[in-house]
Amino acid sequence: MVTPSVLVPRVESLASSGIKSIPKEYIRPQEELNNIGDVFEEAKKNEGPQVPTIDLMEIESEDKVVREKCREEIVKAAKEWGVMHLVNHGIPDDLIDRVRKAGQAFFDLPIEEKEKYANDQASGNVQGYGSKLANNASGQLEWEDYFFHLIFPEDKRDISIWPKTPSDYTKVTSEYARLLRSLASKILSALSLGLGLEEGRLEKEVGGMEELLLQMKINYYPRCPQPELALGVEAHTDISALTFILHNMVPGLQLFYEGKWVTAKCVPNSIIMHIGDTVEILSNGKYKSILHRGVVNKEKVRISWAVFCEPPKEKIILKPLAETVTEAEPPLFPPRTFAQHLAHKLFRKTQDSLNPPKAD
């Protein structure tokens, strides 16, 4: 039996081996390389478009005018950008710090220890420790390792595959999942009202408390000797309803906005939130699922904690809600289950893998 570490080379192993140049499988096509710059320099820029920061302090204010102003700001950012920094989001800073420390502690383990949690993508077992396999037409790899697991609802989790080290990993991750699920409900309420729908409508359409799945992917981006040639995560949109992201305050997220790649700043005590394809479809394109990617650097390890809020794969048909469709605004998306949407995207990605989006 061949061990997973032999089958799947870990990027961390490559990065720590002392290589000065990266293997060709990690080098991006020329049209992408034209716009990969120094992420630290990019993050310092104050000119040009900036990802909006939304203060959620008043999202449940008893003052209707104050509450609606907060909700309107969420809706505006969702329509114009599809991504935002959320501050005063109600999740305690000390809990977020513990979530970060727990994930960091897992990735600080020796690779042999992490391999005990290795997933088996070939057999469809995607939960656990992994690295990207070359599954697109160009056979390209991304400069990251990850840990992927379902964290909510609690009755759907498989705690047996969660890290045992550090010892508080399960406790802090479970508490974070509960609070994040509550935050997702507040955001979905605001987005529903922004479409002129009843407050609970989008929540119901994506599966409600019982069926909406929260999947956490901890992305570990090692230092890269040639960051100008690689990507941590290639350009994509999220298939989720919403995605919430923490990071270790090392820049790397870039958004494709108005034809250019914009680097997100590191906003203290914030959670980054993306609108995913699911909400874009339900809103008939009124809310945007923005194209984004992760860049790497040679100085600092970057870690991010992405939680994808996903509808059940087969139970719900995703299509523009009737209230979002008019004669002037016909449906932009055909009806599909979440599983069908995912399959369609993978097919498209294979077709388009040699034609990534171009930017100045």
Side-chain angles (χ1 to χ4, degrees), residues 178-319:
R178 280 192 290 274
L179 294 179
L180 204 56
R181 182 62 186 83
S182 170
L183 178 59
S185 289
K186 292 173 191 173
I187 298 292
L188 289 168
S189 292
L191 295 175
S192 290
L193 293 168
L195 293 172
L197 305 170
E198 286 180 21
E199 199 169 342
R201 181 69 181 282
L202 281 178
E203 168 110 27
K204 177 170 165 259
E205 295 288 345
V206 297
M209 198 55 81
E210 294 75 32
E211 298 285 353
L212 185 68
L213 306 177
L214 271 59
Q215 316 257 22
M216 180 185 272
K217 184 174 176 234
I218 308 176
N219 301 294
Y220 183 86
Y221 307 101
R223 295 178 188 88
C224 179
Q226 293 178 296
E228 70 284 358
L229 299 181
L231 285 174
V233 176
E234 64 191 9
H236 66 286
T237 61
D238 289 350
I239 56 173
S240 58
L242 303 172
T243 304
F244 295 93
I245 303 172
L246 298 176
H247 53 77
N248 65 337
M249 295 298 284
V250 175
L253 174 65
Q254 293 188 326
L255 302 308
F256 196 63
Y257 182 76
E258 295 185 344
K260 289 196 167 75
W261 288 105
V262 176
T263 301
K265 294 198 177 323
C266 293
V267 177
N269 305 319
S270 69
I271 298 175
I272 296 169
M273 189 195 79
H274 286 277
I275 300 293
D277 297 349
T278 295
V279 163
E280 181 178 64
I281 291 166
L282 292 169
S283 71
N284 201 26
K286 292 175 175 60
Y287 297 137
K288 302 286 183 287
S289 181
I290 193 168
L291 193 71
H292 56 284
R293 68 184 186 184
V295 296
V296 291
N297 73 84
K298 61 169 65 171
E299 291 146 57
K300 294 181 179 177
V301 170
R302 181 169 183 262
I303 309 177
S304 68
W305 289 255
V307 175
F308 306 98
C309 303
E310 298 181 354
K313 281 197 159 61
E314 303 290 355
K315 286 188 179 177
I316 292 169
I317 301 294
L318 292 178
K319 62 180 182 179

Side-chain angles (χ1 to χ4, degrees), residues 39-300:
V39 69
F40 295 108
E41 292 305 312
E42 295 287 332
K44 287 176 191 165
K45 288 183 181 172
N46 288 315
E47 69 277 8
Q50 301 290 338
V51 176
T53 297
I54 307 298
D55 188 336
L56 297 184
M57 179 72 83
E58 307 294 353
I59 193 169
E60 294 186 303
S61 168
E62 291 185 6
D63 183 324
K64 189 182 177 202
V65 174
V66 172
R67 186 173 69 242
E68 285 183 357
K69 183 173 183 296
C70 177
R71 288 174 173 172
E72 280 164 14
E73 286 176 4
I74 295 168
V75 166
K76 181 171 186 281
K79 287 180 173 177
E80 291 179 6
W81 275 85
V83 64
M84 58 202 83
H85 299 284
L86 303 177
V87 296
N88 293 316
H89 40 67
I91 300 182
D93 293 344
D94 69 316
L95 175 62
I96 285 178
D97 194 42
R98 282 156 60 215
V99 169
R100 284 199 192 107
K101 281 181 175 157
Q104 170 94 52
F106 173 76
F107 276 97
D108 282 347
L109 293 171
I111 287 181
E112 321 65 273
E113 280 297 307
K114 294 195 283 273
E115 287 294 356
K116 293 175 183 174
Y117 299 91
N119 61 15
D120 183 4
Q121 295 174 58
S123 68
N125 179 19
V126 295
Q127 293 201 74
Y129 175 58
S131 307
K132 171 149 182 197
L133 301 178
N135 61 356
N136 60 21
S138 57
Q140 282 183 313
L141 298 174
E142 297 165 326
W143 196 261
E144 69 147 353
D145 301 321
Y146 63 80
F147 190 92
F148 183 78
H149 54 328
L150 187 151
I151 60 170
F152 197 91
E154 294 184 355
D155 63 346
K156 291 184 167 68
R157 304 178 305 179
D158 180 1
I159 293 287
S160 71
I161 60 108
W162 288 31
K164 309 288 184 291
T165 305
S167 57
D168 65 345
Y169 184 92
T170 296
K171 184 182 177 197
V172 300
T173 304
S174 299
E175 180 61 16
Y176 179 62
R178 280 192 290 274
L179 294 179
L180 204 56
R181 182 62 186 83
S182 170
L183 178 59
S185 289
K186 292 173 191 173
I187 298 292
L188 289 168
S189 292
L191 295 175
S192 290
L193 293 168
L195 293 172
L197 305 170
E198 286 180 21
E199 199 169 342
R201 181 69 181 282
L202 281 178
E203 168 110 27
K204 177 170 165 259
E205 295 288 345
V206 297
M209 198 55 81
E210 294 75 32
E211 298 285 353
L212 185 68
L213 306 177
L214 271 59
Q215 316 257 22
M216 180 185 272
K217 184 174 176 234
I218 308 176
N219 301 294
Y220 183 86
Y221 307 101
R223 295 178 188 88
C224 179
Q226 293 178 296
E228 70 284 358
L229 299 181
L231 285 174
V233 176
E234 64 191 9
H236 66 286
T237 61
D238 289 350
I239 56 173
S240 58
L242 303 172
T243 304
F244 295 93
I245 303 172
L246 298 176
H247 53 77
N248 65 337
M249 295 298 284
V250 175
L253 174 65
Q254 293 188 326
L255 302 308
F256 196 63
Y257 182 76
E258 295 185 344
K260 289 196 167 75
W261 288 105
V262 176
T263 301
K265 294 198 177 323
C266 293
V267 177
N269 305 319
S270 69
I271 298 175
I272 296 169
M273 189 195 79
H274 286 277
I275 300 293
D277 297 349
T278 295
V279 163
E280 181 178 64
I281 291 166
L282 292 169
S283 71
N284 201 26
K286 292 175 175 60
Y287 297 137
K288 302 286 183 287
S289 181
I290 193 168
L291 193 71
H292 56 284
R293 68 184 186 184
V295 296
V296 291
N297 73 84
K298 61 169 65 171
E299 291 146 57
K300 294 181 179 177

